[in-house]
Amino acid sequence: MTEVRRLLRLCHPMRWKIALGVLLSVIVILSNVALMAVSGWFITAMALAGLGKMTLEFFTPAAGIRGLALLRSGARYLERLVSHDATLAVLARLRPWFYKKLVPLAPARLQGLRHGDLLARIRSDIDALDTFHLRILGPGLAALISSVIIVAAFALVSPGVAVMTALGLLLAGVAVPLLVRRATLGAGSALSSARAELQSGTGDLTRGFEELRVLNATGAQIDRLRALSLRLIAAQRRPAWAAAAGTALTNGVGQAMTLGAALILLPGAAAGEVSGPIFAMLVLGAMASVEAVSSLPGAFAAWDATLASARRIFALTDQTPAVSEPAMPETPRGNAVRFEDVHFAYDGGSPVLDGFDLTLQEGRCLALTGPTGAGKSTVLALLQRFHDPDRGFVSLGGTDLRRIADATLRQRIAVVEQQVQLFNATIAENLRLARPDADEDRLWQVLEQAQLAAEIRAMPEGLKTRLGELGTRLSGGQARRLGIARALLVDAPVLLLDEPTEGLDSATEAQVIAALATLIRGRTVLLVTHRPQALALADRQVVIGGARA
Ligand SMILES: Nc1ncnc2c1ncn2[C@@H]1O[C@H](COP(=O)(O)OP(=O)(O)O)[C@@H](O)[C@H]1O
Ligand SMILES: [Mg+2]
């Protein structure tokens, strides 16, 4: 239930929009019930007047019916408008909220999650959260409020019909949806797993077609797919049945309420205490009142999935960051880097660094080499304070990193990763990630220094060339040089390079090295590499490895 409270808190800033949506829903429901009731009354009264049994002023009720019909449509239209506006408002709030929660967790606390998991949470779980008010909170409140008003209104005319209506609404709005939910418990996961397996099986068949042919196994794979299809159909059957049975039961309850109202009123009508028009009004009103709870089955159906999504999202956002901001940040004096007796292990793993020492003087370039898995990237991660050491300390300009504000550290340190992360955006946008206010001249300047300007000038769209999924793919060497240009824009005094020329052919490597030579000039540099050409950039070399016992 804590999830519900937290979801409500997230909806809090939108409470007036949501309340307005609920109010409009209530108007829709009530005008519909009133329309039926007044129509019943009017038709009967007209019939009786036609028989000469009563006189009738029919202008007022006729106008009322027209008014109610208009009110119903108008309120429905406005309700859609307001609810969807509220949904967009919730969405506009939830996503940034989630990303802001993720920032301090990255990268240390997110490494355990595969990219796919994170993507799935961002997509489907956040979407599930934003339907909380649209499918659960709003309809639930509207159903509750209008049910109470309907029952109260009926009670003014006939307490018996009011009690019967209350019971009927509970049955149709709560008991039937709960029954449907019970019948479909677990069906959702069976369905999605069957669907996923069928999808991947189909993918295997098309991608591996040649192999399957060679192995003469096409028939077996098709038989497998047939079996999976049957499983999917079987998994779809139960929820389909349950949903259909639920609809039938709800309709049945509506009919029973109509009949119930008639039976309750019949003795009074026979005795002349209940007039014909009142009789018709209550019977039709009872019939229409089922509409008050008609959205509840959907709300119950969305309930489990929404809570499960909320639990997954909160589980992620509740994690404490691996490092915390200092209460009284200090400004480092200078840019010398020191590791002193640093011990470090990833959560629950064996030690990666075990009494590691390193001194890098300001303005020097130090090469860090050692076998794969020796902990070179870990040293860079500790210097960026993605993690804190278990023992010992890492300092910049003589100040322990734990006493430096995160923002200060980011200004001081630029990184060129082994795998330069390019985003699906233009070259200019990819560069401005490092410095949003850089003007075009500045961009060309760093591209020039990174030895990439000529190639980009040759592209028809220049700086506006799109990269990534939708656009141009850069070659390995171009991507590295773009990473270097980005680091130049950061213009930080300390530079971390993680295998910047790994996997490049020697001609491309020479270009990247030339770009690096510009980049490292006057900076304090920690360079992880094995390549002789890159090693030549360094003043000193430290070999790491065998640190593990
Ligand atoms: N995020 C992580 N979580 C757990 N273990 C890790 C993580 N990153 C690296 N390791 C482990 O720490 C050791 C050192 O890794 P790393 O610093 O990447 O080495 P190098 O860069 O020298 O190849 C390896 O055994 C690696 O498996
Ligand atoms: Mg590495």
Side-chain angles (χ1 to χ4, degrees):
M1 281 311 105
T2 49
E3 283 90 19
V4 176
R5 207 166 328 125
R6 297 179 66 177
L7 283 173
L8 285 175
R9 211 172 309 142
L10 280 171
C11 286
H12 193 252
M14 268 69 66
R15 62 192 179 284
W16 295 118
K17 272 187 188 154
I18 295 173
L20 186 60
V22 169
L23 177 71
L24 289 165
S25 296
V26 169
I27 293 176
V28 172
I29 294 167
L30 292 183
S31 54
N32 206 30
V33 175
L35 184 63
M36 286 296 272
V38 174
S39 304
W41 179 88
F42 187 52
I43 292 167
T44 315
M46 290 272 281
L48 290 175
L51 292 174
K53 298 222 164 127
M54 65 183 275
T55 54
L56 180 70
E57 186 273 296
F58 63 82
F59 289 108
T60 315
I65 288 172
R66 245 175 266 134
L68 284 169
L70 285 176
L71 182 65
R72 185 180 62 161
S73 313
R76 165 67 71 202
Y77 174 75
L78 286 177
E79 184 268 324
R80 297 279 89 179
L81 213 60
V82 169
S83 301
H84 284 88
D85 185 45
T87 306
L88 292 179
V90 171
L91 203 70
R93 198 178 124 77
L94 268 180
R95 300 208 165 183
W97 167 82
F98 185 61
Y99 287 120
K100 266 191 208 127
K101 289 278 188 182
L102 286 188
V103 170
L105 298 176
R109 292 288 187 245
L110 301 183
Q111 265 163 357
L113 285 170
R114 283 173 294 122
H115 273 42
D117 284 344
L118 198 56
L119 205 62
R121 288 192 202 197
I122 292 170
R123 282 216 188 122
S124 59
D125 288 345
I126 292 273
D127 282 351
L129 288 198
D130 86 58
T131 58
F132 170 70
H133 82 275
L134 192 69
R135 291 192 64 188
I136 298 176
L137 184 62
L141 283 174
L144 187 69
I145 295 170
S146 40
S147 295
V148 168
I149 295 177
I150 289 169
V151 169
F154 284 181
L156 293 178
V157 190
S158 161
V161 173
V163 170
M164 189 276 309
T165 305
L167 289 176
L169 290 177
L170 278 177
L171 209 60
V174 181
V176 171
L178 281 178
L179 217 62
V180 169
R181 180 165 161 247
R182 248 190 99 102
T184 53
L185 224 55
S189 65
L191 197 62
S192 58
S193 91
R195 202 174 278 145
E197 268 187 61
L198 183 61
Q199 201 169 9
S200 78
T202 316
D204 285 349
L205 182 66
T206 48
R207 271 191 304 276
F209 196 64
E210 287 171 27
E211 280 82 350
L212 289 169
R213 282 270 324 252
V214 171
L215 295 170
N216 206 8
T218 323
Q221 179 70 7
I222 288 174
D223 286 343
R224 229 191 100 221
L225 287 186
R226 189 169 295 132
L228 283 172
S229 299
L230 290 177
R231 223 183 88 197
L232 180 61
I233 292 169
Q236 279 168 333
R237 192 162 286 149
R238 195 150 58 99
W241 262 104
T247 310
L249 279 174
T250 309
N251 285 339
V253 171
Q255 304 302 326
M257 282 163 74
T258 318
L259 191 63
L263 289 177
I264 288 169
L265 294 169
L266 216 49
E273 290 155 19
V274 177
S275 72
I278 294 289
F279 181 90
M281 179 181 91
L282 285 177
V283 170
L284 288 189
M287 187 172 97
S289 62
V290 174
E291 207 221 332
V293 294
S294 63
S295 61
L296 288 182
F300 278 95
W303 181 259
D304 290 311
T306 305
L307 278 203
S309 292
R311 225 167 278 136
R312 279 193 295 265
I313 290 281
F314 290 138
L316 196 61
T317 58
D318 284 349
Q319 298 199 50
T320 43
V323 297
S324 54
E325 279 274 83
M328 306 267 285
E330 292 173 22
T331 312
R333 269 184 280 261
N335 297 301
V337 171
R338 256 187 95 170
F339 282 69
E340 233 179 279
D341 191 29
V342 169
H343 294 250
F344 178 75
Y346 289 98
D347 287 330
S350 51
V352 178
L353 299 177
D354 206 355
F356 178 73
D357 291 302
L358 181 88
T359 307
L360 168 59
Q361 276 148 16
E362 173 143 19
R364 294 299 182 84
C365 176
L366 187 143
L368 195 60
T369 60
T372 303
K376 303 180 296 294
S377 297
T378 304
V379 167
L380 299 189
L382 286 172
L383 189 48
Q384 294 169 76
R385 208 177 169 223
F386 291 160
H387 312 270
D388 282 332
D390 300 326
R391 244 174 62 203
F393 68 87
V394 184
S395 68
L396 178 69
T399 308
D400 192 322
L401 295 189
R402 281 170 286 214
R403 292 203 298 271
I404 301 176
D406 192 61
T408 310
L409 202 61
R410 305 284 154 241
Q411 280 165 10
R412 292 276 182 129
I413 299 180
V415 188
V416 179
E417 294 279 356
Q418 197 169 357
Q419 200 75 55
V420 176
Q421 183 68 47
L422 295 177
F423 293 87
N424 192 348
T426 65
I427 289 178
E429 285 163 337
N430 267 288
L431 285 171
R432 285 198 176 108
L433 287 175
R435 193 168 285 274
D437 57 354
D439 60 21
E440 241 173 65
D441 288 345
R442 180 80 187 118
L443 297 187
W444 282 116
Q445 197 183 349
V446 293
L447 286 172
E448 207 76 61
Q449 289 172 332
Q451 320 260 323
L452 194 58
E455 283 149 83
I456 289 176
R457 228 172 252 126
M459 296 176 183
E461 292 181 275
L463 283 174
K464 294 207 176 68
T465 307
R466 283 196 81 82
L467 301 178
E469 264 176 78
L470 295 178
T472 316
R473 286 187 194 286
L474 296 184
S475 72
Q478 286 173 328
R480 309 270 174 121
R481 279 175 286 147
L482 197 69
I484 291 170
R486 198 147 71 185
L488 278 164
L489 269 181
V490 177
D491 198 18
V494 180
L495 192 63
L496 310 183
L497 305 168
D498 199 350
E499 316 213 25
T501 63
E502 219 63 22
L504 300 180
D505 62 69
S506 58
T508 316
E509 180 172 25
Q511 283 179 313
V512 174
I513 297 273
L516 281 176
T518 322
L519 178 61
I520 69 174
R521 205 170 297 139
R523 294 198 161 91
T524 308
V525 184
L526 197 52
L527 163 66
V528 172
T529 190
H530 286 290
R531 310 277 294 209
Q533 280 199 58
L535 278 174
L537 293 168
D539 314 308
R540 195 158 68 88
Q541 181 178 345
V542 167
V543 181
I544 170 174
R548 234 169 310 172

Coordinates of all heavy atoms in Angstrom, one line a residue, residues 371-378 380 418 498-499 528, ligand 2:
P371 N 47.7 -6.1 -17.7 CA 46.8 -7.0 -18.4 C 45.3 -6.7 -18.3 O 45.0 -5.9 -17.4 CB 47.1 -8.3 -17.7 CG 47.8 -8.0 -16.4 CD 48.5 -6.7 -16.6
T372 N 44.5 -7.2 -19.1 CA 43.1 -7.0 -19.1 C 42.6 -7.5 -17.7 O 43.0 -8.6 -17.2 CB 42.4 -7.8 -20.2 OG1 42.9 -7.4 -21.4 CG2 40.9 -7.6 -20.2
G373 N 41.7 -6.7 -17.1 CA 41.2 -7.1 -15.8 C 42.0 -6.7 -14.6 O 41.7 -7.0 -13.5
A374 N 43.2 -6.0 -14.9 CA 44.1 -5.7 -13.8 C 43.5 -4.5 -13.0 O 43.9 -4.3 -11.8 CB 45.4 -5.2 -14.4
G375 N 42.6 -3.8 -13.5 CA 41.9 -2.7 -12.8 C 42.2 -1.3 -13.3 O 42.0 -0.3 -12.6
K376 N 42.7 -1.2 -14.6 CA 43.0 0.1 -15.1 C 41.8 1.0 -15.2 O 41.8 2.1 -14.8 CB 43.7 -0.1 -16.5 CG 44.9 -1.0 -16.5 CD 45.5 -1.1 -17.8 CE 44.6 -1.8 -18.9 NZ 44.3 -3.2 -18.5
S377 N 40.7 0.4 -15.8 CA 39.5 1.2 -15.9 C 38.9 1.6 -14.5 O 38.3 2.6 -14.3 CB 38.4 0.5 -16.7 OG 38.9 0.3 -18.0
T378 N 39.1 0.6 -13.6 CA 38.7 0.9 -12.2 C 39.4 2.1 -11.6 O 38.8 2.9 -10.9 CB 38.9 -0.4 -11.4 OG1 38.2 -1.5 -12.0 CG2 38.4 -0.2 -10.0
L380 N 40.5 4.7 -13.2 CA 39.8 5.8 -13.8 C 38.5 6.1 -13.2 O 38.1 7.3 -13.0 CB 39.7 5.7 -15.3 CG 41.0 5.5 -16.1 CD1 40.8 5.6 -17.6 CD2 42.0 6.6 -15.7
Q418 N 36.9 4.6 -24.1 CA 37.3 3.6 -25.1 C 36.2 3.5 -26.2 O 36.5 3.5 -27.3 CB 37.4 2.2 -24.4 CG 38.1 1.2 -25.1 CD 38.4 0.0 -24.2 OE1 38.1 0.0 -23.0 NE2 39.0 -1.0 -24.8
D498 N 41.0 6.3 -21.8 CA 40.9 4.8 -21.6 C 41.1 4.1 -23.0 O 40.2 4.1 -23.8 CB 39.6 4.4 -21.0 CG 39.7 3.0 -20.3 OD1 40.7 2.3 -20.6 OD2 38.8 2.6 -19.6
E499 N 42.3 3.6 -23.2 CA 42.6 2.9 -24.5 C 42.1 3.7 -25.7 O 41.3 3.2 -26.4 CB 42.1 1.5 -24.4 CG 42.3 0.9 -23.1 CD 42.5 -0.6 -23.1 OE1 42.9 -1.1 -24.2 OE2 42.3 -1.3 -22.1
V528 N 45.5 5.3 -20.3 CA 45.5 3.8 -20.2 C 45.7 3.3 -21.7 O 44.9 3.6 -22.5 CB 44.2 3.2 -19.7 CG1 44.2 1.7 -19.8 CG2 44.0 3.6 -18.2
Ligands
MG2 MG 39.5 -1.3 -19.2

